[in-house]
Amino acid sequence: MKKDKKNKPSKDLPLGFVDRQEKELLVRDFIISNIKEVMIKYGFQYLETPSFEYSDSIGKFLPDKDRPDEGVFSFKDENKWLSLRYDLTAPLARYVAKNYLEIPKPFKRYQLGTVWRNEKPGPGRFREFLQFDADFVGTKSLQADAELCVMISEILEKCGLLKSEYIIKISSRQITEELFKKINLENNDQRLITLRALDKIDRLGWTGVKQLLGKGRKDQSGDFTKGANLSLNNIEIIEKELNKKLPATEDLKEILKIFNDYNFLNFKFDPSIIRGLEYYTGPIFEVNLTGEIKNGKGQVIQFGSIGGGGRYDNLVNNFGNYEAPATGISIGLDRLVYALMQKKDFKIKQSRPVVICVFEKNSMKDYIKLLTTIRDAGISAEIYPGENKLKKQMEYANKINAPAVILYGEDEIKSGKPTLRDLSTGKEKSIAIQEIVNEIKKII
RNA sequence: GCAGCAGUAGCUCAGUUGGUUAGAGCACUAGUUUGUGGAACUAGGGGUCGGUGGUUCGAAUCCACCCUGCUGUACCA
């Protein structure tokens, strides 16, 4: 036995992959059903694309020059490279380019799907996770961008979040573009470092960000991050510009007006939102939870946003000659699940079966008859799946959190009166079969 | 990727300046109770002390490297 141990397959999971148990899955299902409801209400259509795409389709055509073909899981199939998708937006762009002539313009679709990222996992971040995306393709109207925010907030509230527990931050790429012009920043490396630094205001504050805009910053662990090397003067201009409370760009002014028409208030203008590097072209938004998120040990962790999105007017065009300005939003379901499960008042119902204990194997017919009666009433029930002493059967029922057990032995079968035991109180009652469904309903 | 911390039973951890056969609680198994779970008591199973190599008469303990995890940081389409 022990000798074999070395050759046994590993029970460990690959880095960043996790098993998910019922409790979590039920919360996820609950969120998904809310999403679907809202999506239908807002007039989006459902789409599914495959997990794999040609690597070209999801990598090469992205206008993000800073990113080489890394971070994806790939393999070579018949001389062509395939990759697991890393988001749902690139496949959407590919889908639209492929079906452009048939689809309605604009095209509104939503999609739920697993995506994979070959990178270091963090708290609440895995290498395989479920994403939800909703996009408008083929419209420049900012009505679309605004409606995405309204819609996402409806979903969150349907899931049980209060207005005070989340906020949608909005900004626009135009702001940083104008800022760069103002300080005459043309060097692409410096621009990238600046954008990344600005993205961290909420975490590091202006003190940290200013270090990153200048020479660099040392973090808690002593690790050093190189800065953008901007002049003090320019850093001050940036701080001043970005501290303006009101959005100055045309696109944001219009979105604010639309928000107002919708009577949508739960947003905040935040010019520090960057989201990705060269992907977005206009308004951008981010969905943030306002409360503290704790890990298993009770430590508060940096959770980041649970999703976001924005306008990407050039993505579809990369696949061909179709002009398809687009805007979309995506939510990481796992993070939302994680956050919801931490809410004290959030409970999801796990329905457990009533367990019928078996005494007389020869009377299986009677057991099944009783079982069927209960199940036909829409109540979850099972005959104890095994052959064990009553004690074992009770322990099993207790372990699975069954609401009740039914004891149905020789005498009970004869008299037609099973014994019903409420497992939370321990009280037992002898009940006629015709009455058993009603009695169970009182317990569950 | 970089940095800090950690890795002892299924889980949470103890293990003194290196020293016989590595411990506890919870969980598990069996019994006290042959038709009764959640409590108690009794007994039991379970560990190449993350891995490899080194120092030593002797390593869970010291050293090196690797792996894994946590936290921060970087990247994040």
Side-chain angles (χ1 to χ4, degrees):
Chain A
M1 248 289 262
K2 271 183 184 166
K3 262 187 190 166
D4 294 345
K5 216 171 178 178
K6 259 189 183 164
N7 301 321
K8 291 270 168 74
S10 168
K11 294 180 286 264
D12 296 338
L13 288 168
L15 176 67
F17 289 82
V18 285
D19 294 320
R20 298 179 191 286
Q21 291 174 326
E22 189 180 44
K23 212 174 157 195
E24 184 180 346
L25 294 174
L26 290 176
V27 177
R28 179 200 266 186
D29 286 350
F30 166 75
I31 295 170
I32 290 174
S33 68
N34 288 329
I35 286 174
K36 286 183 178 165
E37 243 174 80
V38 175
M39 284 298 92
I40 291 167
K41 195 167 148 188
Y42 278 73
F44 285 79
Q45 56 175 278
Y46 207 1
L47 178 72
E48 183 172 299
T49 61
S51 312
F52 276 102
E53 299 267 353
Y54 286 121
S55 302
D56 276 2
S57 318
I58 61 170
K60 218 178 188 173
F61 284 106
L62 280 171
D64 186 347
K65 298 176 201 80
D66 187 53
R67 184 183 58 81
D69 229 54
E70 283 174 1
V72 292
F73 293 98
S74 307
F75 76 93
K76 208 169 187 180
D77 178 50
E78 311 248 336
N79 285 325
K80 281 197 169 184
W81 280 94
L82 304 187
S83 297
L84 280 169
R85 63 185 175 209
Y86 57 77
D87 72 0
L88 300 177
T89 311
L92 170 66
R94 191 229 79 221
Y95 176 87
V96 169
K98 185 177 163 77
N99 301 284
Y100 191 77
L101 299 177
E102 284 79 37
I103 58 171
K105 268 77 75 180
F107 179 55
K108 292 168 69 176
R109 79 87 242 240
Y110 76 102
Q111 183 166 1
L112 283 152
T114 306
V115 301
W116 294 265
R117 296 191 182 180
N118 191 359
E119 57 193 32
K120 187 201 153 186
R125 282 187 85 163
F126 306 105
R127 297 212 291 180
E128 173 184 64
F129 57 97
L130 193 60
Q131 231 182 25
F132 154 69
D133 271 49
D135 294 79
F136 287 78
V137 184
T139 177
K140 282 195 159 154
S141 165
L142 294 173
Q143 160 84 24
D145 301 65
E147 187 154 281
L148 286 172
C149 297
V150 174
M151 181 201 89
I152 221 73
S153 101
E154 185 164 336
I155 288 172
L156 295 179
E157 284 174 33
K158 219 174 173 104
C159 288
L161 287 182
L162 303 174
K163 281 197 163 55
S164 58
E165 289 174 320
Y166 74 96
I167 188 103
I168 293 174
K169 296 182 177 174
I170 65 160
S171 183
S172 171
R173 267 311 155 75
Q174 288 182 17
I175 292 177
T176 41
E177 274 309 306
E178 283 173 16
L179 191 57
F180 287 151
K181 267 182 210 155
K182 194 163 190 171
I183 62 169
N184 241 328
L185 185 64
E186 276 167 14
N187 179 300
N188 208 34
D189 281 350
Q190 281 182 307
R191 279 190 173 207
L192 284 180
I193 296 175
T194 305
L195 286 176
R196 285 173 186 153
L198 296 178
D199 198 27
K200 298 180 178 86
I201 290 178
D202 54 335
R203 228 166 358 115
L204 307 179
W206 270 105
T207 324
V209 170
K210 276 166 137 175
Q211 289 169 342
L212 285 172
L213 291 177
K215 295 216 167 77
R217 172 180 178 270
K218 206 187 239 181
D219 68 46
Q220 293 174 18
S221 64
D223 193 24
F224 186 76
T225 310
K226 223 180 83 188
N229 263 317
L230 301 184
S231 71
L232 277 178
N233 194 28
N234 282 343
I235 293 176
E236 260 168 44
I237 293 176
I238 291 175
E239 184 176 8
K240 206 179 267 172
E241 280 295 315
L242 293 192
N243 271 336
K244 285 182 179 167
K245 291 278 174 341
L246 290 172
T249 55
E250 291 307 312
D251 54 355
L252 288 179
K253 279 184 193 163
E254 191 177 337
I255 285 187
L256 256 53
K257 201 172 149 272
I258 302 169
F259 279 168
N260 192 44
D261 293 341
Y262 271 98
N263 203 12
F264 176 72
L265 297 169
N266 210 19
F267 69 91
K268 192 180 143 198
F269 166 62
D270 184 343
S272 70
I273 304 245
I274 305 296
R275 292 209 64 79
L277 300 172
E278 294 166 64
Y279 183 101
Y280 293 109
T281 55
I284 40 188
F285 19 90
E286 200 169 279
V287 185
N288 282 85
L289 298 178
T290 51
E292 281 182 343
I293 302 292
K294 289 174 186 167
N295 67 9
K297 289 175 185 166
Q299 301 166 300
V300 176
I301 54 174
Q302 291 293 341
F303 202 62
S305 65
I306 60 164
R311 180 157 282 278
Y312 52 98
D313 283 345
N314 303 322
L315 194 58
V316 174
N317 191 247
N318 284 300
F319 284 92
N321 297 318
Y322 302 118
E323 278 295 329
T327 184
I329 196 160
S330 65
I331 293 287
L333 275 254
D334 298 310
R335 292 187 149 198
L336 186 53
V337 169
Y338 195 75
L340 275 186
M341 285 173 73
Q342 293 218 341
K343 269 177 69 91
K344 283 190 197 107
D345 48 346
F346 184 81
K347 287 244 162 60
I348 203 97
K349 206 191 160 197
Q350 240 170 319
S351 47
R352 310 303 322 180
V354 170
V355 176
I356 301 173
C357 296
V358 180
F359 298 85
E360 309 288 334
K361 265 185 284 172
N362 297 331
S363 310
M364 202 40 84
K365 200 177 170 187
D366 296 294
Y367 287 106
I368 292 171
K369 206 173 154 196
L370 176 60
L371 174 73
T372 309
T373 307
I374 299 169
R375 283 184 176 165
D376 284 351
I379 296 166
S380 168
E382 66 179 4
I383 292 172
Y384 175 76
E387 292 176 16
N388 259 319
K389 299 192 265 192
L390 182 60
K391 189 180 163 93
K392 287 280 150 208
Q393 303 192 33
M394 294 292 291
E395 279 170 3
Y396 166 81
N398 187 49
K399 184 87 181 175
I400 65 165
N401 249 321
V405 295
I406 293 173
L407 308 177
Y408 201 31
E410 204 181 349
D411 296 343
E412 282 111 336
I413 292 173
K414 246 181 231 163
S415 65
K417 284 187 157 187
T419 302
L420 180 67
R421 182 184 178 95
D422 181 335
L423 282 187
S424 59
T425 63
K427 279 184 186 150
E428 277 179 12
K429 249 184 185 176
S430 178
I431 317 261
I433 290 191
Q434 309 83 271
E435 284 303 308
I436 199 117
V437 166
N438 284 333
E439 287 298 321
I440 293 172
K441 279 183 180 164
K442 283 182 198 166
I443 294 174
I444 53 180

